[in-house]
Amino acid sequence: MMKLRNLKFALNSAWQSFWRNLAVSLAAVLSITLILILAGVNLLVGHAFSQVVDGFRLKVSEISINVADGTPLQAIYDFQDQLKADPRVASVKFITKEQALLDFQADPNNAVFAQQIDGNPLDAKLEVRVFELKDVAAIDLLGRRWAGVDPTDPTNYQGDFVNRMLELSSWLGLAGILLMAILVVVSVVIVMNTIRTAVYHRRKEIEVMKLVGATEWFVRGPFVIEGIMTGLIAAAIALSLLVIAYQPAVERFHSDLVFIPLSYDPTFISSLARDLLIGGALLGALGSYIGVRRYVRI
Amino acid sequence: MVLTPDFDSRPIISFQHVWKTYPTGTEALRDINLVVPEGDFLFLVGPSGAGKSTLVRLLIREEKPTKGKIFVEGIELGRMKRRQLPHYRRKVGLVFQDFKLLPNLTIYENVAFALRVLGEPDDLVQSRVADALDTVGLSGKELTYPANLSGGEQQRVAIARALVHAPRFIIADEPTGNLDPATAWEIMQLFLRINARGATVVMATHNREIVDLLRRRVVAIDAGQIARDDRSGRYHDEVTKPQIRAQ
Ligand SMILES: Nc1ncnc2c1ncn2[C@@H]1O[C@H](COP(=O)(O)OP(=O)(O)OP(=O)(O)O)[C@@H](O)[C@H]1O
Ligand SMILES: [Mg+2]
């Protein structure tokens, strides 16, 4: 009961303080909003990029081992069994020469070229999917050493490219985390500053509270709530702006950067909302917590 | 020479060889020894800069002594943890020269404030605030704001606020400093009445007429030291003062 009354007092007090220092409060809300928008864009781009990378990962975790013409079927099955027994391998699929040609002809991209070919120049192949991307190189080596491999065009493995792509994606992830860290520090400092102003405006009240025997956290509570409120308001504004801009932005970039399969993902909005609101509240709480510990002493 | 009156009742406050040197190097208090029995009414007098407010600030633990110990109800203030400080201050009623009212709150809310910060329930707040305002003679002014009151009335509000949580002792630093003589006298009557009800009162003051009229205990501080401690004293030392004039 008593705690509830204190909470009521703190909420009231925080709300009053927010409006009393409207200019400072709004400046803080705007700054945090901008920061959260940056963070939100960071999250959205990160999400889009991770979708792209996931697709890419799926594609490159598969390798085709081309079979030389005339290799006995039994030899192919033996090798297929050997691959299947390998713990790194997820699946192995045998594509015959005929099937390879059919697949080739079925692809509309190849339509013109397909009409011009005589007979069947395509190899039969084993499509091997591995569990982990890093094992592709080993399977590639296994394939190249196999007696039945087509020596002129052994596999479709692209070597270094894969690793470089993965490296790039982890660097981008790191850059994202670094950007987030900087944003967190900046917003904490901004909230601290607002709290300092609020404390200054309420110094008389704080002095009186101290003289009548208010506990330290009774005095500090309203400021922490004010900080959380600032963070939440900023998060709400940032979220609405991001939600409004998300789809048009994706469409815009989609036509500019066709080679990157960016896509609008409405399911991501709810997780973005959760992240931004929790993030805003935490930033506000952290900034004001540090602020009151520094500026409100009894 | 320091006189410590030998009262029968137990001490509520005692200073033992208390020194206070501010970080600036000012020696505000030097070797203060003082015992205040429960129910006492004590005037702290002395010239400006003598150290009266410093003594008050030590008493409410806004400052810590540089040396020596201060006991209040047997508890040493210097050993009190920060967490215990609010609970200690709730036992004390404080009144200052500048009233320290909150201008954006009504009279009622200003007095209620002292109970709200303790998280007291509304009905208790209501009856206690009504009692306190009645004691200081301000019933009917509940919804007024401090700016619309005279200095004397504002000080009454401050006193009501100091009384509302029924403190064991009242500390006042020049409570009549901003008031005209008639109003000062009224405020002083209020303190006497509070003292008569059992609260211990320690008051720093420059008000010579009132001190001389009331003939209560007077502790004179000069340059950070207790110069005089009379059980029924005057503002100026009757013996030495004429001598100083004669020199
Ligand atoms: N916070 C402080 N920092 C440094 N010096 C201080 C501080 N407060 C007071 N002093 C010094 O300590 C001495 C005693 O000051 P104090 O305020 O206790 O005097 P006082 O007796 O209350 O004077 P007055 O009658 O004018 O109110 C003075 O020399 C003053 O300048
Ligand atoms: Mg003073």
Side-chain angles (χ1 to χ4, degrees):
Chain A
M1 261 317 273
M2 188 176 132
K3 284 277 162 338
L4 203 68
R5 251 194 315 277
N6 287 350
L7 185 69
K8 208 177 105 193
F9 180 91
L11 281 172
N12 230 323
S13 195
W15 184 246
Q16 276 174 21
S17 177
F18 186 87
W19 287 100
R20 185 165 344 151
N21 313 311
L22 195 60
V24 180
S25 307
L26 281 186
V29 165
L30 278 181
S31 322
I32 309 290
T33 302
L34 279 178
I35 283 166
L36 286 175
I37 285 177
L38 272 178
V41 167
N42 190 3
L43 283 178
L44 284 171
V45 168
H47 176 67
F49 193 77
S50 77
Q51 276 183 319
V52 171
V53 168
D54 284 349
F56 177 74
R57 228 177 253 271
L58 214 62
K59 222 179 275 171
V60 295
S61 63
E62 194 175 87
I63 176 172
S64 296
I65 300 168
N66 295 326
V67 181
D69 287 353
T71 308
L73 213 54
Q74 191 53 50
I76 299 171
Y77 287 146
D78 285 349
F79 187 52
Q80 187 177 8
D81 288 343
Q82 182 197 334
L83 287 173
K84 272 183 182 158
D86 193 303
R88 293 168 295 191
V89 172
S91 68
V92 186
K93 200 167 142 197
F94 177 45
I95 310 280
T96 61
K97 262 179 98 73
E98 294 70 31
Q99 186 60 43
L101 184 64
L102 284 175
D103 288 349
F104 184 77
Q105 285 166 341
D107 189 336
N109 285 333
N110 300 331
V112 181
F113 190 52
Q115 282 175 345
Q116 295 171 348
I117 53 173
D118 260 345
N120 187 354
L122 297 174
D123 277 334
K125 58 189 176 187
L126 287 165
E127 282 181 1
V128 187
R129 180 174 292 284
V130 292
F131 288 110
E132 296 208 39
L133 209 50
K134 63 176 172 58
D135 293 329
V136 176
I139 302 300
D140 171 65
L141 201 65
L142 219 61
R144 281 169 197 270
R145 283 188 186 149
W146 177 48
V149 77
D150 180 355
T152 56
D153 180 16
T155 70
N156 67 348
Y157 181 56
Q158 287 159 5
D160 249 11
F161 174 70
V162 174
N163 293 324
R164 254 186 264 144
M165 241 353 236
L166 288 175
E167 210 170 304
L168 178 69
S169 92
S170 68
W171 276 113
L172 280 176
L174 202 69
I177 290 170
L178 203 71
L179 179 67
M180 287 291 200
I182 294 171
L183 294 181
V184 165
V185 171
V186 171
S187 29
V188 164
V189 169
I190 290 173
V191 174
M192 266 176 71
N193 224 43
T194 348
I195 295 308
R196 186 165 74 173
T197 315
V199 167
Y200 179 78
H201 280 273
R202 307 206 116 186
R203 64 194 182 284
K204 239 190 126 173
E205 205 172 329
I206 291 172
E207 191 196 356
V208 173
M209 283 202 238
K210 173 171 126 181
L211 294 179
V212 298
T215 59
E216 199 152 55
W217 279 104
F218 184 90
V219 181
R220 289 172 168 180
F223 296 107
V224 175
I225 290 180
E226 192 180 340
I228 295 174
M229 223 163 75
T230 306
L232 279 177
I233 294 174
I237 299 174
L239 183 64
S240 351
L241 292 179
L242 283 173
V243 168
I244 292 169
Y246 183 23
Q247 192 163 17
V250 166
E251 277 162 12
R252 176 76 217 284
F253 281 111
H254 201 67
S255 49
D256 283 351
L257 310 163
V258 267
F259 52 91
I260 298 179
L262 270 181
S263 63
Y264 175 67
D265 180 4
T267 57
F268 185 62
I269 289 177
S270 68
S271 95
L272 181 73
R274 187 198 59 212
D275 290 353
L276 281 185
L277 289 172
I278 292 178
L282 282 181
L283 286 181
L286 186 66
S288 52
Y289 178 78
I290 299 175
V292 292
R293 299 246 356 199
R294 188 180 268 199
Y295 306 122
V296 183
R297 308 216 105 212
I298 273 201
Chain B
M1 160 103 190
V2 175
L3 298 168
T4 307
D6 187 21
F7 290 113
D8 296 336
S9 33
R10 68 193 176 93
I12 189 164
I13 300 166
S14 94
F15 282 64
Q16 297 180 1
H17 300 288
V18 172
W19 295 67
K20 176 65 190 179
T21 309
Y22 284 108
T24 53
T26 311
E27 268 197 343
L29 291 177
R30 292 188 287 159
D31 198 24
I32 298 289
N33 290 286
L34 182 66
V35 175
V36 182
E38 180 143 35
D40 205 5
F41 193 115
L42 181 152
F43 285 121
L44 281 174
V45 302
S48 215
K52 304 182 293 296
S53 296
T54 301
L55 201 147
V56 166
R57 279 200 289 275
L58 288 175
L59 212 40
I60 60 175
R61 244 298 296 268
E62 214 175 288
E63 298 279 357
K64 277 185 180 180
T66 316
K67 254 195 289 179
K69 292 175 180 172
I70 302 170
F71 291 91
V72 176
E73 290 186 319
I75 295 165
E76 195 199 328
L77 293 192
R79 292 201 165 190
M80 200 179 290
K81 296 207 174 68
R82 263 160 53 84
R83 216 174 328 111
Q84 297 170 301
L85 225 60
H87 303 280
Y88 167 65
R89 291 193 180 131
R90 289 169 193 183
K91 286 196 271 183
V92 186
L94 294 166
V95 181
F96 294 91
Q97 179 172 4
D98 59 354
F99 319 138
K100 296 196 196 296
L101 300 178
L102 298 174
N104 54 324
L105 297 185
T106 62
I107 301 315
Y108 178 88
E109 283 304 328
N110 261 289
V111 178
F113 195 73
L115 296 173
R116 296 228 191 277
V117 297
L118 311 185
E120 298 287 8
D122 280 344
D123 46 349
L124 187 101
V125 172
Q126 252 168 36
S127 66
R128 290 265 200 99
V129 173
D131 281 354
L133 284 176
D134 187 49
T135 305
V136 300
L138 280 181
S139 300
K141 297 269 190 189
E142 284 84 354
L143 300 180
T144 317
Y145 285 86
N148 299 327
L149 295 183
S150 70
E153 286 171 325
Q154 290 189 41
Q155 192 59 297
R156 286 166 186 274
V157 178
I159 293 170
R161 185 182 60 197
L163 290 180
V164 76
H165 50 33
R168 301 284 307 281
F169 66 101
I170 310 267
I171 300 171
D173 195 355
E174 292 185 42
T176 58
N178 281 346
L179 307 175
D180 63 71
T183 314
W185 181 244
E186 282 170 23
I187 293 296
M188 202 56 73
Q189 294 296 324
L190 210 49
F191 279 107
L192 286 173
R193 221 179 313 147
I194 294 161
N195 176 243
R197 284 198 214 158
T200 309
V201 177
V202 174
M203 182 186 298
T205 186
H206 283 296
N207 199 320
R208 189 174 57 82
E209 293 85 41
I210 287 177
V211 174
D212 287 348
L213 203 64
L214 292 179
R215 302 299 302 252
R216 294 297 185 117
R217 180 175 175 195
V218 174
V219 173
I221 300 183
D222 197 359
Q225 285 180 304
I226 294 186
R228 175 159 63 88
D229 186 345
D230 297 332
R231 192 159 181 174
S232 160
R234 290 172 173 274
Y235 191 82
H236 289 300
D237 190 330
E238 296 134 274
V239 188
T240 58
K241 199 69 187 175
Q243 286 179 341
I244 288 168
R245 280 205 198 102
Q247 277 170 358

